[in-house]
Amino acid sequence: MKDYRIYLKHYIILWIAFGAITLFLVMSFRNNRSQQFENDTVIDFSSGWKLADGTPVELTDIAGSRPAGESLAVPTVIYNNMPLDLKYGDCICFLSKNMNFRIQIDGKPLYSYWPQMDRLSGKSYGTSYHIVKVPVNFSGKRVQVFIYPKYKDNSCFFSEMCIGQTGVYYRIFLKQHVVSFMICLLIMNIGLVMIIISSQQWSLNSGAAYSLMSLGTLSVMIGVWSSLQTNMPQMFLGFTPFFHLLEYSLMLFMPYPAIQYANYIVERPRKIYSLIMLTAIIAGELTCLISTLTGFRDFHECIPLIHAV
């Protein structure tokens, strides 16, 4: 018991130190800006877009601008005008989700994003960031985007679109997302501490150990899933199809440790509840995998099933 208490004390100290360092870094990041970026700005390029017929369109509502029943093979064409004061090194920086597209300025091809997807990844890459360098001589020219959505719902869109220096865009991105990401890391760290502590009590075969293990596992899963919502892994690591698939798989598996925890804290735990949930999750995962591999429906299109589980 003495060794266990020392072990637990070490992890409590480690967790407090990690939280204090994280808080210090976040506050330093928010209050201290690099001098080289002090006067730099980016141009918001998310407004002013129109369809080919001149109808205004929101980049976050590409699906809403398409005629009902239109084939996904038919592109949505939108256009805008480049700023008149482009500087050397300026780029169009933006996020895309579940869409293939190509960009041309003044009728000349500039950028195309058409990733090859394997069967397991399904139809779409998920979320991806793009940095597209624009020559200065394209100032004031018309830019057209030919969009090929992967789905007919509102999961296909552009966001965070602006024009400016790449370094400034990264700084703005970090300022908007780093605090949320740090919180996700804390959640994961707390879950790992719970799992480690519960493993020390496992030999006692107690309900407390099982419930703590379940709660820690749930905490880690929530932390990982939430970190994907900040888009930090996608921005700096890539592997967007992997994270796209991981996101949906976590949605399927998270209910199991939650049910396990709830089952063990009640007065009379029933193993049948855990068994039913485990069977439903495995059946749901296999159904989604088979459907994706056969090309019938991918994980995104199986969302109703995932929510049902």
Side-chain angles (χ1 to χ4, degrees):
M1 180 62 71
K2 182 178 179 180
D3 291 339
Y4 168 73
R5 289 177 178 177
I6 294 175
Y7 194 53
L8 177 60
K9 185 185 296 184
H10 288 172
Y11 274 100
I12 292 175
I13 294 173
L14 179 65
W15 179 81
I16 293 174
F18 180 81
I21 293 172
T22 301
L23 181 61
F24 172 76
L25 291 175
V26 170
M27 296 306 297
S28 298
F29 181 84
R30 291 174 64 89
N31 296 328
N32 298 302
R33 298 182 179 182
S34 298
Q35 188 65 33
Q36 62 181 356
F37 294 137
E38 194 66 37
N39 298 319
D40 287 344
T41 58
V42 295
I43 301 171
D44 182 16
F45 203 49
S46 60
S47 59
W49 290 92
K50 297 179 181 180
L51 296 172
D53 61 3
T55 304
V57 62
E58 294 291 334
L59 294 180
T60 55
D61 189 28
I62 299 299
S65 65
R66 296 175 63 88
E70 184 176 57
S71 171
L72 294 177
V74 178
T76 297
V77 183
I78 61 176
Y79 72 89
N80 203 342
N81 292 321
M82 295 297 295
L84 297 173
D85 56 347
L86 285 177
K87 298 185 292 293
Y88 177 78
D90 275 351
C91 301
I92 304 176
C93 309
F94 58 96
L95 172 152
S96 71
K97 185 165 186 177
N98 298 331
M99 300 187 300
N100 293 338
F101 59 92
R102 55 188 175 89
I103 302 174
Q104 64 181 39
I105 299 181
D106 200 26
K108 301 175 182 178
L110 179 70
Y111 181 76
S112 178
Y113 192 69
W114 214 280
Q116 295 296 320
M117 306 301 300
D118 55 41
R119 283 179 175 264
L120 182 59
S121 299
K123 298 179 180 179
S124 176
Y125 54 85
T127 300
S128 182
Y129 279 87
H130 310 269
I131 308 292
V132 183
K133 190 173 182 179
V134 183
V136 177
N137 61 335
F138 281 152
S139 296
K141 303 294 185 180
R142 172 172 291 192
V143 54
Q144 288 180 298
V145 185
F146 297 80
I147 305 168
Y148 297 82
K150 288 297 183 179
Y151 310 109
K152 294 184 178 181
D153 54 28
N154 59 4
S155 67
C156 307
F157 58 83
F158 292 119
S159 69
E160 303 178 26
M161 184 175 289
C162 63
I163 296 177
Q165 301 291 314
T166 304
V168 180
Y169 184 72
Y170 282 132
R171 178 179 66 82
I172 293 174
F173 174 86
L174 284 172
K175 185 177 180 181
Q176 293 175 342
H177 299 280
V178 73
V179 175
S180 299
F181 186 71
M182 288 295 186
I183 293 173
C184 296
L185 290 181
L186 282 173
I187 293 172
M188 284 185 273
N189 184 67
I190 292 171
L192 288 173
V193 171
M194 289 181 181
I195 292 173
I196 292 171
I197 293 174
S198 67
S199 66
Q200 302 306 305
Q201 300 177 335
W202 202 258
S203 59
L204 300 178
N205 196 30
S206 65
Y210 291 117
S211 61
L212 190 60
M213 173 71 77
S214 300
L215 189 60
T217 303
L218 178 62
S219 180
V220 171
M221 287 184 172
I222 290 175
V224 173
W225 184 85
S226 300
S227 70
L228 296 179
Q229 309 312 303
T230 68
N231 293 326
M232 288 280 284
Q234 295 91 323
M235 175 65 141
F236 294 105
L237 298 178
F239 310 121
T240 55
F242 166 74
F243 290 128
H244 185 57
L245 185 63
L246 178 62
E247 181 179 346
Y248 292 117
S249 295
L250 285 171
M251 290 173 63
L252 266 169
F253 283 101
M254 277 192 289
Y256 181 73
I259 291 296
Q260 282 282 77
Y261 174 73
N263 191 30
Y264 278 113
I265 62 174
V266 297
E267 186 175 349
R268 294 182 179 179
R270 300 289 298 275
K271 294 182 179 180
I272 187 64
Y273 297 146
S274 299
L275 180 61
I276 291 173
M277 178 55 66
L278 182 62
T279 303
I281 289 172
I282 293 176
E285 182 73 16
L286 288 176
T287 300
C288 292
L289 280 174
I290 293 172
S291 179
T292 299
L293 291 173
T294 57
F296 178 63
R297 292 178 181 272
D298 66 5
F299 271 81
H300 176 81
E301 293 170 313
C302 290
I303 282 182
L305 173 61
I306 294 174
H307 287 169
V309 173

